[in-house]
Amino acid sequence: MPLFVVTGAHGFIGTNIVEKILTAAPEELGFANGRPSRFSNFEENQQERGCSVIATDLPDSINRINARRFLGSVRYQYVDYEKLIAHLESLEKKPDLVIHNGACSSTTETNPEIFQKLNLGYSQALWEYCARNNIPFIYASSAATYGDGRFGFSDKKEDCNKYVSLNLYGKSKLDFDLWVLKQKETPPTWFGLRYFNVFGQFESHKGGQASMVYHGYNQAVRTGKIKLFESNTSEYAHGEQLRDFVYIDDLVDITMELIRISLARIENKSSYLISENGLFLNIGRGVAESWNNLAQEVFSSLSIPESIEYIPMPDNIIRQYQNYTCADLSTLRSLGIQHEFKSLKAGVIKYVQKHLMRGQ
């Protein structure tokens, strides 16, 4: 039975990745001897044989509704994050691949020790475990590594040293990326995924860090209006700051393709050979759209009139605010991944009508 490790498994991105793995037939992810069937729904098929997941997250995450989607499945095992590596070392069968999404993702956290422990030290320990045991490693970096965007959004390795992050979260992600480049011992294949503005189902636990689609939906339903930040610069009108918004399903689909590439490289399949063990990859749509446009799509998905109110930007983010982000997808496309991303409109409609209206 194929075995994956997923950290941050009860978080926003982790929940979506775990659900995809547990509902996929093994051959969909590149396993030659997998079951020749597709599972259509996790809740209905959780006792079927397929892929298995060893999951970890912070202790209090076990109480989230996200965790309850999987607890009790015979193919899902939860391990405390501080005991994970010791547990993995004790296994007779090593994992086929590690997906590391666990981190402190707060852009307003100001305690550097939290980032040192969770985002840097823990990531280094997992990297070293995968390198020792010849296990492919896919981990979450962030578009926050690019800072204010003045140096562009290239994910090429040679460009990493020029970036200056705007907050401790972005710095922790960039620090790990730079550490990775110095390592002589590496996993057989690794990808550092620089996520842009991701939105979608299972993010409600993030509170203030949840996407503006989530908050905009709730504001619009309650009050009939959506609040956006005023601009902090004369370069952009209120609400016209630009971000690369990407729907979670696109991120998950690309992650599954990277799993297939990683497993194929282990088997030396020429169609998936890349010239180096690892790459940083931007995960965005390569399209920058305004907050005003996002709000308009939320109103449209609800079929209610548009009403936007602009409010002052809080002091704790005004100096670290990214007014523009847009993914350069050239490295992703160089791998032969021609994934067609959902438009902002399509992603918002699916999220609002299929998930938020149903309480997810």
Side-chain angles (χ1 to χ4, degrees):
M1 184 181 296
L3 177 62
F4 294 86
V5 173
V6 181
T7 73
H10 303 154
F12 165 40
I13 293 173
T15 297
N16 281 278
I17 287 175
V18 169
E19 183 147 303
K20 183 68 173 182
I21 290 172
L22 290 177
T23 56
E27 69 273 7
E28 293 179 70
L29 301 178
F31 294 93
N33 298 315
R35 286 169 55 86
S37 63
R38 176 185 293 271
F39 305 144
S40 59
N41 182 278
F42 174 72
E43 288 82 356
E44 295 175 1
N45 297 288
Q46 61 177 340
Q47 301 305 320
E48 296 281 350
R49 289 193 72 248
C51 299
S52 291
V53 170
I54 295 176
T56 194
D57 209 320
L58 296 177
D60 61 357
S61 73
I62 203 73
N63 298 315
R64 293 177 192 161
I65 191 171
N66 289 6
R68 295 200 292 272
R69 297 184 69 79
F70 311 119
L71 294 175
S73 167
V74 297
R75 294 188 283 108
Y76 182 86
Q77 179 187 8
Y78 176 78
V79 178
D80 182 88
Y81 84 102
E82 292 189 305
K83 300 176 181 178
L84 176 66
I85 293 178
H87 176 75
L88 297 178
E89 293 283 16
S90 72
L91 296 177
E92 182 176 347
K93 170 181 166 47
K94 297 302 180 186
D96 293 286
L97 188 140
V98 172
I99 301 174
H100 176 39
N101 274 292
C104 174
S105 60
S106 173
T107 57
T108 58
E109 176 60 59
T110 58
N111 185 346
E113 293 182 3
I114 291 176
F115 292 109
Q116 175 63 37
K117 178 181 180 180
L118 297 179
N119 293 15
L120 189 58
Y122 197 71
S123 300
Q124 291 169 344
L126 280 171
W127 171 281
E128 290 167 349
Y129 167 78
C130 289
R132 286 194 306 272
N133 291 281
N134 201 42
I135 297 169
F137 185 57
I138 298 174
Y139 74 92
S141 182
S142 173
T145 59
Y146 296 121
D148 62 10
R150 73 180 65 183
F151 299 113
F153 299 92
S154 167
D155 54 15
K156 302 291 190 294
K157 293 177 181 178
E158 58 268 24
D159 291 324
C160 282
N161 283 294
K162 67 184 180 182
Y163 299 123
V164 180
S165 301
L166 296 176
N167 51 45
L168 288 178
Y169 166 70
K171 182 179 185 300
S172 71
K173 291 297 188 179
L174 182 58
D175 284 348
F176 182 64
D177 287 351
L178 292 172
W179 179 87
V180 160
L181 293 179
K182 297 177 183 177
Q183 303 313 299
K184 294 182 180 179
E185 299 297 325
T186 76
T189 304
W190 61 265
F191 295 108
L193 309 185
R194 290 181 175 164
Y195 302 143
F196 280 68
N197 279 67
V198 188
F199 66 94
Q201 58 274 9
F202 311 132
E203 63 168 325
S204 62
H205 67 279
K206 295 182 68 175
Q209 297 291 316
S211 75
M212 194 58 225
V213 181
Y214 173 81
H215 288 298
Y217 164 82
N218 284 292
Q219 291 172 15
V221 168
R222 289 196 311 268
T223 70
K225 66 173 58 177
I226 291 177
K227 295 181 179 181
L228 299 176
F229 289 143
E230 295 175 350
S231 177
N232 64 353
T233 172
S234 60
E235 187 177 353
Y236 295 93
H238 297 333
E240 288 301 306
Q241 306 97 320
L242 300 168
R243 294 290 184 91
D244 191 332
F245 302 107
V246 58
Y247 187 49
I248 183 64
D249 286 3
D250 292 311
L251 182 155
V252 171
D253 287 346
I254 289 172
T255 301
M256 298 305 111
E257 183 61 28
L258 295 175
I259 289 172
R260 289 188 284 270
I261 290 173
S262 299
L263 296 174
R265 288 196 80 229
I266 290 285
E267 299 176 6
N268 292 318
K269 292 182 179 178
S270 59
S271 60
Y272 280 115
L273 288 181
I274 56 178
S275 60
E276 47 198 324
N277 279 4
L279 295 167
F280 302 119
L281 294 174
N282 285 332
I283 308 297
R285 291 166 47 235
V287 178
E289 299 191 57
S290 72
W291 294 106
N292 286 330
N293 189 24
L294 181 146
Q296 290 159 4
E297 296 298 355
V298 173
F299 285 121
S300 176
S301 70
L302 291 168
S303 299
I304 62 177
E306 296 173 13
S307 179
I308 299 174
E309 176 185 349
Y310 301 103
I311 61 175
M313 192 176 291
D315 291 339
N316 66 332
I317 69 169
I318 197 166
R319 292 184 178 84
Q320 56 174 305
Y321 191 79
Q322 290 178 298
N323 283 301
Y324 175 84
T325 65
C326 188
D328 175 349
L329 297 181
S330 57
T331 306
L332 183 74
R333 298 309 189 196
S334 74
L335 293 177
I337 296 177
Q338 299 302 323
H339 177 81
E340 184 175 343
F341 291 85
K342 287 181 175 61
S343 66
L344 179 59
K345 175 183 284 293
V348 169
I349 288 173
K350 182 174 181 180
Y351 183 25
V352 169
Q353 297 181 357
K354 183 176 180 180
H355 296 284
L356 289 176
M357 286 182 171
R358 301 179 183 180
Q360 293 180 335

